[in-house]
């Protein structure tokens, strides 16, 4: 799976980092970011829930 974060619409709510802290973090400005090496979700079962939890749907998951 490939995770994409649309930084143009991210509002920095932090729901992704709260839901899947092993994959998502927030950058210095408070916006969503992927942890290094976690661009594929690293098999974390909470990645899909984190994408659903985003209030502005800034996270896209693509099967590769």
């Amino acid at each position: 799976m490939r995770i994409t974060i649309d930084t143009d619409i991210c509002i920095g709510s932090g729901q992704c980092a709260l839901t899947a802290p092993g994959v998502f973090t927030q950058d210095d400005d408070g916006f969503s970011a992927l942890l290094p090496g976690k661009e594929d979700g690293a098999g974390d079962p909470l990645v899909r829930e984190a994408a659903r939890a985003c209030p502005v749907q800034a996270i896209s998951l693509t099967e590769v």
Side-chain angles (χ1 to χ4, degrees), residues 41-52:
D44 190 319
L46 295 175
V47 169
R48 292 186 190 284
E49 183 58 34
R52 282 191 288 272

Side-chain angles (χ1 to χ4, degrees), residues 3-64:
I3 303 168
T4 306
I5 302 169
D6 186 339
T7 56
D8 290 332
I9 63 173
C10 178
I11 60 171
S13 72
Q15 293 304 305
C16 57
L18 289 172
T19 304
V23 176
F24 296 95
T25 188
Q26 289 180 283
D27 64 17
D28 292 338
D29 295 320
F31 296 108
S32 180
L34 293 167
L35 290 169
K38 305 295 181 163
E39 293 81 8
D40 64 355
D44 190 319
L46 295 175
V47 169
R48 292 186 190 284
E49 183 58 34
R52 282 191 288 272
C54 179
V56 294
Q57 304 301 305
I59 300 169
S60 300
L61 306 177
T62 307
E63 297 297 328
V64 290

